[in-house]
Amino acid sequence: MSGVAGNCWSMSEHTDHLELAHKIAAELGEPKKTYEELVTFLKSAPADKLSEYSLEFVKNIQINIRFAPVIERQDAEQPFLTKSPQKIYETTQFDFDVLFTITSAEFVGLMNLFPPPLEDVLKSEFELPLPFKGLEIPKDDQRILTKKIREFYFDGSADALKQYVDLLSDINFGYEIDKTVKTHAAKSNGRTFYAVFSMDSKLNVLKRQNPEVANVPGASHYDEVHYLFRFKSAQSLYDDVLSNMEDEGSKISLKLIDNITHLFTNFAKYGDLFDKNDSIQIRPVQGDNVHYLDLNNYGFTTGLNPKKETFDFLADIERQAISVNSLKQRDEL
């Protein structure tokens, strides 16, 4: 849930946490000169002030997290991560079952992270970032690739807002999740399952916090958790469901609670998403055949290779980006 290590925001390409910590101390009015002074300060600094620096924000159209994990040196004290996730996949064989999940409209409830206005993105001179790490793309090539992305996602129809949500969702979540699902299935001796949550009912809390996008169909990042667990912060919504149980929206919400609970508890207990006597079964991912389960307002449906056309397009853009990056590096040599 909530993305994979390959997502552009999930790891920092710069090991600058020490520099960032000094910057925070200075901004809080207590600049420190030594490492020891800095550690002492961080242990006693106001937690509410420090937490402000861990917030996610959107730069252009990509999520950025200030304190993202980094690849540590082999000689670091109790290192947590000394190889990139890609290297780990290349050198490690897995033998456990795994369930990857995504929501159908990941970014719709995250629009309050202040992505650029839609009208700015539609401008021909607006440059979209590419969701690929470690690449330096020459300006002219960046504009060419940006134009291709814009033309792919925006077709001039009245659904521009939904298309913008799709772009933000794919760039920040979907594309890398799709790649990781395939990679994990190829490297694992266990089974790899994939589920898409597209439910849209009374408990889609995050999406409904922003009236401007409340009518965009599908489930936002984090929406599905409100069906899996009971949140005190959303108690009034649960009360509404339970006090109006004959309402169609309440019936759908209660059924969704049953379905998602059944799904996760079955996987946690047995490594399968369904009981043998359930009317529906789902095959694990095999190679590039991404069998997936869709949990929606009508129950469960199954499919193959979600958003294949979109992810094939982004894979082609990535190949072009790698190509021009390699040419730039060769020219610099």
Side-chain angles (χ1 to χ4, degrees):
M1 303 175 80
S2 290
V4 293
N7 287 128
C8 51
W9 44 263
S10 65
M11 298 189 67
S12 174
E13 294 181 346
H14 309 287
T15 55
D16 59 355
H17 287 176
L18 187 60
E19 179 183 338
L20 179 57
H22 276 291
K23 181 174 181 290
I24 291 172
E27 289 182 0
L28 293 179
E30 295 194 43
K32 304 300 177 185
K33 293 183 178 179
T34 69
Y35 177 80
E36 290 73 19
E37 289 175 339
L38 184 64
V39 171
T40 300
F41 164 73
L42 291 174
K43 287 180 178 179
S44 60
D48 59 334
K49 294 294 184 183
L50 289 178
S51 69
E52 294 176 4
Y53 288 90
S54 67
L55 295 177
E56 300 172 356
F57 64 99
V58 172
K59 182 179 180 180
N60 207 324
I61 64 168
Q62 281 186 1
I63 294 176
N64 285 264
I65 301 178
R66 293 179 179 90
F67 277 114
V70 298
I71 307 298
E72 298 171 84
R73 299 195 317 267
Q74 294 283 347
D75 61 347
E77 184 176 339
Q78 296 182 331
F80 176 71
L81 197 63
T82 58
K83 294 190 294 187
S84 72
Q86 291 80 5
K87 285 292 183 184
I88 292 173
Y89 269 123
E90 290 172 5
T91 58
T92 308
Q93 197 74 34
F94 304 97
D95 60 358
F96 52 85
D97 299 332
V98 65
L99 169 61
F100 288 92
T101 68
I102 191 173
T103 62
S104 60
E106 284 279 352
F107 214 89
V108 68
L110 303 176
M111 298 295 277
N112 59 353
L113 295 178
F114 306 113
L118 176 57
E119 54 268 28
D120 286 353
V121 177
L122 294 176
K123 294 175 182 175
S124 59
E125 69 273 14
F126 187 90
E127 290 188 9
L128 302 174
L130 302 176
F132 319 124
K133 294 180 180 177
L135 299 181
E136 291 187 41
I137 312 300
K139 283 287 186 181
D140 289 343
D141 295 292
Q142 173 83 20
R143 280 190 282 269
I144 291 171
L145 295 177
T146 287
K147 185 174 184 291
K148 290 180 179 180
I149 293 174
R150 187 184 293 105
E151 290 175 348
F152 180 87
Y153 277 92
F154 301 104
D155 57 11
S157 71
D159 289 332
L161 178 58
K162 180 184 180 303
Q163 292 162 355
Y164 189 28
V165 169
D166 287 343
L167 170 62
L168 289 163
S169 300
D170 296 340
I171 292 293
N172 287 291
F173 294 97
Y175 177 58
E176 285 294 338
I177 292 176
D178 182 77
K179 287 171 60 179
T180 301
V181 167
K182 294 172 183 174
T183 300
H184 192 94
K187 294 293 294 183
S188 178
N189 293 321
R191 295 170 300 171
T192 301
F193 295 104
Y194 190 37
V196 178
F197 298 124
S198 56
M199 70 276 268
D200 194 351
S201 193
K202 288 186 172 183
L203 300 180
N204 286 54
V205 176
L206 200 63
K207 186 174 76 170
R208 284 169 171 75
Q209 291 177 348
N210 185 348
E212 293 182 8
V213 297
N215 294 322
V216 175
S220 168
H221 187 79
Y222 187 57
D223 268 344
E224 80 278 23
V225 185
H226 293 87
Y227 293 91
L228 186 60
F229 301 107
R230 190 167 183 167
F231 281 66
K232 288 184 179 180
S233 59
Q235 186 59 49
S236 61
L237 298 179
Y238 297 111
D239 291 341
D240 176 59
V241 169
L242 294 174
S243 61
N244 297 283
M245 295 181 66
E246 295 306 310
D247 175 72
E248 188 62 26
S250 295
K251 291 180 180 179
I252 291 173
S253 295
L254 290 168
K255 185 61 178 176
L256 287 169
I257 289 172
D258 284 342
N259 285 345
I260 197 168
T261 304
H262 183 76
L263 195 74
F264 274 101
T265 53
N266 259 30
F267 184 72
K269 290 173 70 175
Y270 310 118
D272 285 307
L273 303 187
F274 297 101
D275 300 326
K276 291 182 178 178
N277 58 350
D278 283 333
S279 60
I280 188 171
Q281 299 294 324
I282 178 67
R283 297 169 62 185
V285 177
Q286 297 173 322
D288 286 339
N289 293 321
V290 181
H291 300 279
Y292 73 96
L293 181 78
D294 187 320
L295 174 55
N296 52 58
N297 287 18
Y298 307 100
F300 296 109
T301 57
T302 60
L304 182 66
N305 297 329
K307 305 192 78 168
K308 183 178 188 306
E309 180 184 358
T310 297
F311 296 146
D312 283 350
F313 164 76
L314 289 175
D316 184 58
I317 293 293
E318 182 174 18
R319 284 190 289 269
Q320 294 178 57
I322 292 172
S323 176
V324 296
N325 176 72
S326 299
L327 289 173
K328 183 176 186 295
Q329 289 179 335
R330 189 181 68 187
D331 291 343
E332 290 174 349
L333 292 174

